[in-house]
Each structure stands twice: as structure tokens, then as C-alpha cells.
Amino acid sequence: MTEIQLRNRDRIAEIVLDGPETRNALDADDLRDIAAAVAKVAEAIPNVRVLLIRGEGKVFCSGRDISGVDVDTDDARAFLAEVFAPVFQAIRALPIPVIAQVQGAALGLGFGVAAAADIIFAADDAKFGSPFAAIGAMLDSGAHHVFLDRLGYHRTMDLIVTGDFMTGAEAAAAGIVSRAVPAADLSDFVESKLERIVSGPAEAFAMEKGFVQKIADDRPSLSEVLAEEAALQESARQTPDYAEGFKAFQERRKPNFE
């Protein structure tokens, strides 16, 4: 079993997957613990400004923990639809930026948890892909949507059928993850980005997250995007952060977003 830890560092919340014996694999109870942790983070907003999801040890998450699964009685549909999907949706629904820090493997369910984040920073030697061909299972956890959207039909089928993995560097080049950096630099790189985010305009970030998700999910026309951008920008103009940002720019100083 993987222990799910919720840690708070001032305005940064961390959900840490800690299961050295299982390579941070997740069973149903682990996923429920993640959902509970996400709910606590939501309650702590606006004191919490960003959420980091990471795994202890050499891997992010090796996928579903199937060590105790009885194939004859397991309900895969219920596990994915009733246990995993609510976790994915809860992470996406948080009105703060969510960062996944990925080292080592992020496979199957592990990739799904990372994909729920808004930003994925990966080690250049991390591993992404579909290990399911080896056990006769389907790609799941939302990966069909991500792979087809970023990679296209042929590359998606390649990864599914061959079971080959992408490195973090390859995943960054393909748009599967945000950026890849040398593994030894990953923690420091992520910390520098967290510090920038927590000092940024929280209300604008919340509006951006909702709007970008809407565009990604609904694929509106350009004219619809332009109209919605105009309306959202006017909403942003009425926030204290907007006023502070403009004044700071005009006065040639660093803004102080409260």
C-alpha cells in the first residue's frame, strides 16, 4: 500500500505518494485518500495558492496496485468510473494551479494522476506510456484523450501496441508534459516555479485555469474565444491584483499580489 501524505508549506500544499515497496502504485483506498487530501486543499484556499503532487523515491507512480486484485471478481469499470475518475475531476476542479513533479515511471493510473494536473514538470529520463499490452488490458485513466490530442493516431497506436515508453525529454517535445529537465535538477526547478506561482495573481490564475480547460474540452470557435477573453479580461480588470500589476508596471517595480 502507498501512504498518501498531505503536507503544507506556507502557501504551498503537497500531496506525496509514498510507497517504496509498491513503487507508489495506487489501489482504491489510496485513490480515496488522494480525493480526501484534494478536498482538504480546496478548503484551505485562498491560504493555499498552489498544489504540488509528487512521488517519493525513484518513481512518480507505477500505476494501479494489482498485487491483491482477483481478476475473476474485479470490476474494472467501477474502479475507473467510481474511484479514479472522481480523483481526476477533483484535481482539475481546484481553482489553483496544480503541478505534477514526475521522476521515473508515470504509467497507467500514474500517468492519469499526473495528467490531471495543470502543469507536468518531468525528469528528462522519466518514463511515460502504456504498459497494458503485457497484461491484455486497455489504455485507461484518460490517456486515450491526451495521447490522441498531442500525438495523433499513429503515434498513439504505436505506444499502445508496442508497449514502448517515451522519455521525459520525448514527452516534452511531443507536448505530453510541460517541460523536462535533468533528473538531478528537477526538485530545484520545481521549487523555483512554485515560488513564482505563489507570488502571482491568484484570481487571474483561477480564471485562466477554468477558461483554458473550457477551450480544451469544448473546442469553441475563434470568435467565441475572442468574446470570452474580452469578458474575462474585464472581470480581471476589477480585481485588486490587476490594479496592483498595472501600477507596478507603470512605476517600474515588482508587483505585490495579495
Side-chain angles (χ1 to χ4, degrees), residues 126-197:
K127 292 183 179 180
F128 298 90
S130 168
F132 296 123
I135 59 173
M138 291 280 293
L139 184 65
D140 61 25
S141 306
H144 282 100
H145 184 279
V146 176
F147 284 5
L148 281 167
D149 185 59
R150 317 288 169 76
L151 302 175
Y153 174 82
H154 294 98
R155 183 67 171 135
T156 296
M157 286 302 299
D158 178 351
L159 293 175
I160 290 172
V161 174
T162 66
D164 290 343
F165 298 140
M166 288 181 291
T167 66
E170 290 169 336
I176 294 291
V177 305
S178 310
R179 284 186 251 183
V181 299
D185 300 334
L186 181 61
S187 293
D188 289 342
F189 178 84
V190 171
E191 284 299 315
S192 70
K193 301 307 176 187
L194 290 170
E195 289 302 321
R196 181 182 295 182
I197 291 170

Side-chain angles (χ1 to χ4, degrees), residues 183-241:
D185 300 334
L186 181 61
S187 293
D188 289 342
F189 178 84
V190 171
E191 284 299 315
S192 70
K193 301 307 176 187
L194 290 170
E195 289 302 321
R196 181 182 295 182
I197 291 170
V198 297
S199 62
E203 290 181 89
F205 287 164
M207 286 190 285
E208 285 283 19
K209 178 168 180 173
F211 187 49
V212 172
Q213 286 183 0
K214 180 180 179 181
I215 294 174
D217 292 343
D218 299 342
R219 303 295 181 182
S221 67
L222 176 57
S223 61
E224 290 172 322
V225 170
L226 289 169
E228 188 67 16
E229 283 176 342
L232 287 170
Q233 192 70 287
E234 174 56 19
S235 296
R237 184 195 63 80
Q238 300 174 41
T239 66
D241 281 347

Side-chain angles (χ1 to χ4, degrees), residues 35-189:
V38 172
K40 289 181 180 179
V41 172
E43 292 172 358
I45 298 169
N47 294 324
V48 169
R49 303 281 289 272
V50 63
L51 169 63
L52 172 65
I53 302 176
R54 64 178 183 86
E56 288 284 10
K58 296 182 179 180
V59 303
F60 175 75
C61 176
S62 58
R64 182 184 179 187
D65 187 350
I66 62 173
S67 58
V69 173
D70 184 338
V71 174
D72 293 329
T73 60
D74 182 45
D75 188 336
R77 189 212 64 80
F79 178 82
L80 290 167
E82 299 172 16
V83 182
F84 171 76
V87 173
F88 189 100
Q89 292 161 354
I91 293 171
R92 287 194 89 221
L94 281 175
I96 57 174
V98 180
I99 293 177
Q101 176 180 318
V102 177
Q103 77 285 357
L107 306 176
L109 193 75
F111 175 73
V113 172
D118 305 300
I119 300 168
I120 305 175
F121 292 135
D124 56 5
D125 60 355
K127 292 183 179 180
F128 298 90
S130 168
F132 296 123
I135 59 173
M138 291 280 293
L139 184 65
D140 61 25
S141 306
H144 282 100
H145 184 279
V146 176
F147 284 5
L148 281 167
D149 185 59
R150 317 288 169 76
L151 302 175
Y153 174 82
H154 294 98
R155 183 67 171 135
T156 296
M157 286 302 299
D158 178 351
L159 293 175
I160 290 172
V161 174
T162 66
D164 290 343
F165 298 140
M166 288 181 291
T167 66
E170 290 169 336
I176 294 291
V177 305
S178 310
R179 284 186 251 183
V181 299
D185 300 334
L186 181 61
S187 293
D188 289 342
F189 178 84

